[in-house]
């Protein structure tokens, strides 16, 4: 009798464990379309906290994060970034950085953020400072795909990946880096070919995601990188003016990227995309700041030097700080010398999510999440 009871107890325990495992597996499955994020500091929510890189590529010190999180998270802003708002609009939780310890497959079903501040489409951009270039971010996505397959199986992984939206922001570092190391770089190198390399590498990564099953992509063209506070002093003869050598690269890029995306749509069955005109939206906000609730669109909230454009936000020398900090960040379009404030990020995210057809198309991100 005792043996029968023991056998029954073991059977009952095994049944309970099996039910719990099945429940756990089911809890990993969601009907929400996931969000996978690739890019640079505009999208990096903390991956660079976990790598040995240069100080300017990290935002893990106060006052970064002061507005919403009340502590630095690694985001290059006073608060949330564009992907944070997109996740909210898509009824998703905050999408975690890939390198953050302690998360696993249960969070990956909602998506993950691979972006790295300082990253470019070109491998040599900001190397050997150990940032994570776009091609390496694709490799990290392949690792996530394998983890999902191992835990959920091929069919469920295929469903998650095919329904997900892939948000990509890359290129500004590629266009700025040559000027930071060699101001005469483009005297002996073709700007046309350089832009082709940047777009070509970006296209290769998009095609790589497509081969793994991704079908829905959200991208931004090059915004007003030439007019961020940190570049207003690049030309000593035109202090306070946008940096024209980069303006030319931006315009070349923005002419070509729509054609490349149309070609991908033509060649790849099921490929759908949303392209946001960041350049026009940024220009509009800079020329009509009060319309968007800004009092200052040239000077950063945090930094030092002219226009607070020097990348010293968060720097300290002993007990004293080596930077200035504004009183009301909501008055500012830029939080530091290169990055926009949470308020500006939210305005951009709203336009990307469901903006007018002259700024975003052929689909909005809302359409990609909800209708396919």
């Amino acid at each position: 009798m005792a043996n029968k009871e023991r056998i029954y107890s073991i059977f009952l325990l095994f049944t309970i464990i099996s039910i719990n495992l099945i429940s756990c597996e089911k809890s990993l499955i969601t009907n929400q379309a996931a969000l996978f994020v690739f890019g640079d500091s505009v999208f990096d929510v903390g991956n660079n906290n976990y790598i040995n890189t240069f100080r300017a590529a990290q935002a893990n010190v106060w006052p970064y994060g002061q507005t919403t999180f009340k502590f630095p998270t690694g985001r290059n802003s006073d608060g949330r970034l564009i992907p944070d708002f997109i996740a909210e609009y898509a009824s998703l939780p905050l999408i975690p950085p890939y390198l953050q310890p302690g998360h696993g497959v249960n969070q990956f079903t909602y998506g993950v953020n691979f972006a790295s501040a300082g990253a470019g489409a070109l491998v040599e951009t900001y190397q050997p400072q150990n940032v994570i270039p776009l091609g390496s971010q694709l490799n990290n996505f392949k690792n996530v795909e394998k983890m999902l397959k191992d835990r959920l199986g091929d069919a469920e992984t295929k469903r998650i990946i095919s329904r997900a939206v892939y948000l990509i922001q890359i290129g500004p570092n590629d266009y700025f880096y040559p000027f930071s190391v060699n101001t005469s770089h483009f005297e002996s190198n073709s700007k046309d070919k350089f832009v082709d390399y940047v777009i070509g590498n970006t296209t290769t990564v998009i095609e790589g995601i497509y081969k793994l099953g991704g079908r829905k992509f959200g991208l931004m063209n090059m915004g007003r990188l030439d007019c961020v506070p940190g570049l207003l002093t690049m030309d000593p003869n035109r202090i306070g003016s946008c940096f024209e050598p980069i303006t030319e690269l931006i315009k070349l890029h923005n002419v070509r990227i729509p054609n490349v995306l149309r070609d991908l749509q033509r060649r790849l069955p099921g490929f759908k995309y949303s392209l946001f005109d960041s350049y026009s939206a940024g220009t509009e906000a800079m020329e009509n700041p009060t319309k968007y609730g800004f009092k200052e669109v040239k000077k950063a909230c945090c930094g030092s030097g002219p226009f607070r454009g020097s990348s010293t936000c968060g720097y300290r020398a002993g007990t004293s700080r080596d930077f200035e900090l504004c009183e009301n960040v909501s008055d500012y379009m830029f939080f530091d010398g290169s990055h926009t404030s949470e308020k500006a990020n939210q305005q951009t995210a709203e336009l990307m999510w469901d903006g007018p057809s002259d700024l975003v198309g052929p689909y909005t991100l809302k359409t990609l999440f909800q209708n396919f």
Side-chain angles (χ1 to χ4, degrees), residues 68-110:
T68 296
F69 302 102
K70 309 305 179 185
F71 63 91
T73 64
R75 290 166 171 82
N76 283 272
S77 187
D78 59 299
R80 289 166 289 180
L81 303 184
I82 292 167
D84 297 321
F85 289 107
I86 298 302
E88 177 186 334
Y89 304 154
S91 300
L92 293 167
L94 281 177
I95 304 301
Y98 172 72
L99 294 180
Q100 178 179 295
H103 63 68
V105 176
N106 59 322
Q107 287 181 300
F108 290 158
T109 55
Y110 291 108

Side-chain angles (χ1 to χ4, degrees), residues 248-317:
E248 186 177 349
L249 291 168
I250 290 171
K251 289 182 176 179
L252 285 171
H253 180 103
N254 288 351
V255 166
R256 293 178 189 180
I257 195 68
N259 296 329
V260 169
L261 291 171
R262 280 191 289 267
D263 178 65
L264 289 172
Q265 188 175 47
R266 186 166 53 251
R267 291 192 292 109
L268 305 178
F271 178 89
K272 294 179 174 64
Y273 70 91
S274 173
L275 177 62
F276 175 65
D277 187 356
S278 179
Y279 186 90
S280 295
T283 301
E284 162 69 11
M286 288 177 174
E287 292 179 350
N288 302 283
T290 56
K291 180 179 176 181
Y292 299 92
F294 298 118
K295 294 180 180 178
E296 181 59 71
V297 294
K298 295 185 75 170
K299 190 176 185 179
C301 171
C302 184
S304 60
F307 307 103
R308 294 192 187 125
S310 295
S311 300
T312 57
C313 187
Y315 277 54
R316 286 189 174 274

Side-chain angles (χ1 to χ4, degrees), residues 16-56:
I16 291 171
I17 292 173
S18 299
I19 290 171
N20 286 338
L21 286 173
I22 292 169
S23 299
C24 181
E25 294 297 321
K26 285 184 176 180
S27 70
L28 300 180
I29 298 173
T30 172
N31 287 323
Q32 294 295 116
L35 175 62
F36 293 98
V37 182
F38 301 76
D40 54 27
S41 57
V42 176
F43 283 179
D44 182 0
V45 295
N47 280 306
N48 279 20
N49 290 347
Y50 307 103
I51 63 177
N52 183 23
T53 186
F54 63 121
R55 169 63 187 83

